[in-house]
Amino acid sequence: MTGRPTLEQVAERAGVSRATVSRVVNGSPTVTPAIREVVERAIAELGYVPNQAARSLVTQRTDSIALILPESEFRVFSEDQAIPGFIRGVSQELEAADKQLVLMVGGSPSAHDRIERYALARHVDGVIIASMHGADPLPNSLHRMGIPVVCGGRPLGRSVVPYVEVDSVGGARLAVRHLLTRGRTRIATVAGPQDMVAGIDRLAGYRQELQDSDRRSIVAVGDFTRESGAVAMRQLLADDPHLDAVFVASDLMAFGALTALREAGRRVPDDVALVGFDDVEQARYAEPPLTTVRQPIIGQGREMARQLLRLVAGEEIPSSVVLPTELVVRASA
């Protein structure tokens, strides 16, 4: 046979009507399993590729999911080593479900408008928002339009949008508890930005663990970049020259903190113990290797994709899913 296989040729090979083949291609539940198996075998044998545009008109589905990555004028999160893992997790789950991934960048009002127009035109079946700054209006706006949406992390402010979160509070408490058990008494933190849930929760976990041990907090704030970690570490050393441990709310900031400690002549961990958060690949190759809190970045991406696909299919999903974190002990603490 020459040329592109047609619906009629599939029907002839399977011994069914053209309408039956169309119902199988479009996922109709009215076709019996036996007939569906025969048609799908004929499709595979002929190498038939359905017309996606026509299929979308019938099913009202595009089989495409948008993943919104945050960017801002001040913080470029594409530099964050966690983002590739997150994309990988979402991609794995969508590939298994035979769905297409559409990457989009948000962060500005104009970007939000573009995303809303794209989603409202039904170019995608649903939207995953990787993370947000402040009380981002995008999730609620998409929800009001009837667009299925799932967020990475708890949205700030009032929101009815479901989310998949990692236990940042618990992870921070694990880090501080480890430092306390190692005999550290003056434990500071380089907190993350306080307009993001990860930054807020990790600072809260740090403070809770110190309060339970009747210890005071020593805080400087960074923005999840290497440079801000170095700046914050210099500030902490100036505020308290006798501190003996630091919990840093991201590994990227912890690398900057290591640089600042070396500049100040402080040995890690002899003089100052250091614990990060994220367990990015470079953490094991730092000097010294970085003790850190591992969060399931790939797992979070996969779980968000699973929840969104269930939502697109019309299923009920939980309002929130919280994934556990664990401490990975290396030489820095």
Side-chain angles (χ1 to χ4, degrees):
M1 183 175 58
T2 61
R4 180 176 178 175
T6 65
L7 203 68
E8 290 77 9
Q9 290 168 333
V10 174
E12 182 180 355
R13 172 67 67 94
V16 298
S17 69
R18 184 184 187 281
T20 298
V21 175
S22 180
R23 285 194 289 271
V24 171
V25 168
N26 293 321
S28 171
T30 61
V31 182
T32 66
I35 293 297
R36 183 179 302 280
E37 182 180 353
V38 170
V39 173
E40 288 177 347
R41 186 184 308 120
I43 289 173
E45 290 172 352
L46 293 176
Y48 172 72
V49 179
N51 184 306
Q52 185 61 41
R55 185 173 184 270
S56 296
L57 286 173
V58 174
T59 64
Q60 297 297 299
R61 298 277 174 81
T62 66
D63 288 336
S64 297
I65 300 297
L67 172 61
I68 312 301
L69 298 177
E71 296 282 352
S72 78
E73 183 180 354
F74 305 105
R75 294 192 294 269
V76 183
F77 281 83
S78 55
E79 296 174 1
D80 190 336
Q81 299 302 303
I83 293 296
F86 191 86
I87 295 173
R88 181 181 175 189
V90 172
S91 300
Q92 287 175 350
E93 201 63 31
L94 294 183
E95 183 178 355
D98 198 24
K99 307 295 182 184
Q100 301 297 317
L101 174 63
V102 178
L103 289 176
M104 304 184 75
V105 175
S108 68
S110 61
H112 282 194
D113 290 343
R114 175 173 49 82
I115 291 165
E116 289 175 3
R117 290 195 304 271
Y118 191 83
L120 192 58
R122 299 295 176 176
H123 293 307
V124 291
D125 297 328
V127 173
I128 296 171
I129 302 178
S131 65
M132 295 161 293
H133 310 288
D136 194 326
L138 183 60
N140 286 338
S141 179
L142 292 172
H143 178 77
R144 285 193 298 269
M145 295 175 182
I147 308 298
V149 56
V150 172
C151 292
R154 183 182 74 256
L156 288 174
R158 299 182 60 183
S159 177
V160 294
V161 176
Y163 63 87
V164 178
E165 180 67 277
V166 299
D167 186 8
S168 285
V169 173
R173 297 196 68 153
L174 285 174
V176 177
R177 192 176 307 146
H178 173 73
L179 292 169
L180 289 167
T181 60
R182 301 297 294 177
R184 306 293 171 154
T185 59
R186 301 173 77 91
I187 303 173
T189 186
V190 177
Q194 295 302 287
D195 64 344
M196 295 188 70
V197 168
I200 293 169
D201 284 357
R202 292 171 196 182
L203 178 57
Y206 161 83
R207 282 178 164 153
Q208 289 173 15
E209 194 65 28
L210 285 185
Q211 286 171 359
D212 289 351
S213 304
D214 199 26
R215 305 278 181 181
R216 72 181 184 93
S217 299
I218 312 168
V219 181
V221 178
D223 63 7
F224 286 151
T225 63
R226 188 186 303 258
E227 181 180 1
S228 75
V231 171
M233 189 68 248
R234 295 184 192 109
Q235 177 187 329
L236 289 173
L237 290 172
D239 292 344
D240 189 342
H242 302 292
L243 64 84
D244 59 8
V246 185
F247 164 60
V248 188
S250 80
D251 288 348
L252 210 57
M253 291 197 298
F255 300 150
L258 278 170
T259 298
L261 287 167
R262 280 195 292 268
E263 291 173 352
R266 303 298 178 90
R267 298 169 299 167
V268 178
D270 297 351
D271 300 324
V272 180
L274 196 69
V275 179
F277 201 114
D278 290 333
D279 193 30
V280 300
E281 184 178 3
Q282 290 90 333
R284 70 187 70 179
Y285 302 113
E287 183 55 45
L290 184 65
T291 294
T292 184
V293 177
R294 177 178 295 158
Q295 59 171 331
I297 290 293
I298 294 176
Q300 185 184 12
R302 298 198 68 153
E303 184 61 29
M304 287 180 66
R306 280 193 290 266
Q307 295 299 324
L308 183 65
L309 290 174
R310 290 178 58 194
L311 198 59
V312 168
E315 299 179 27
E316 293 287 335
I317 66 171
S319 60
S320 64
V321 176
V322 180
L323 304 178
T325 50
E326 61 176 313
L327 184 70
V328 180
V329 179
R330 299 191 181 102
S332 71

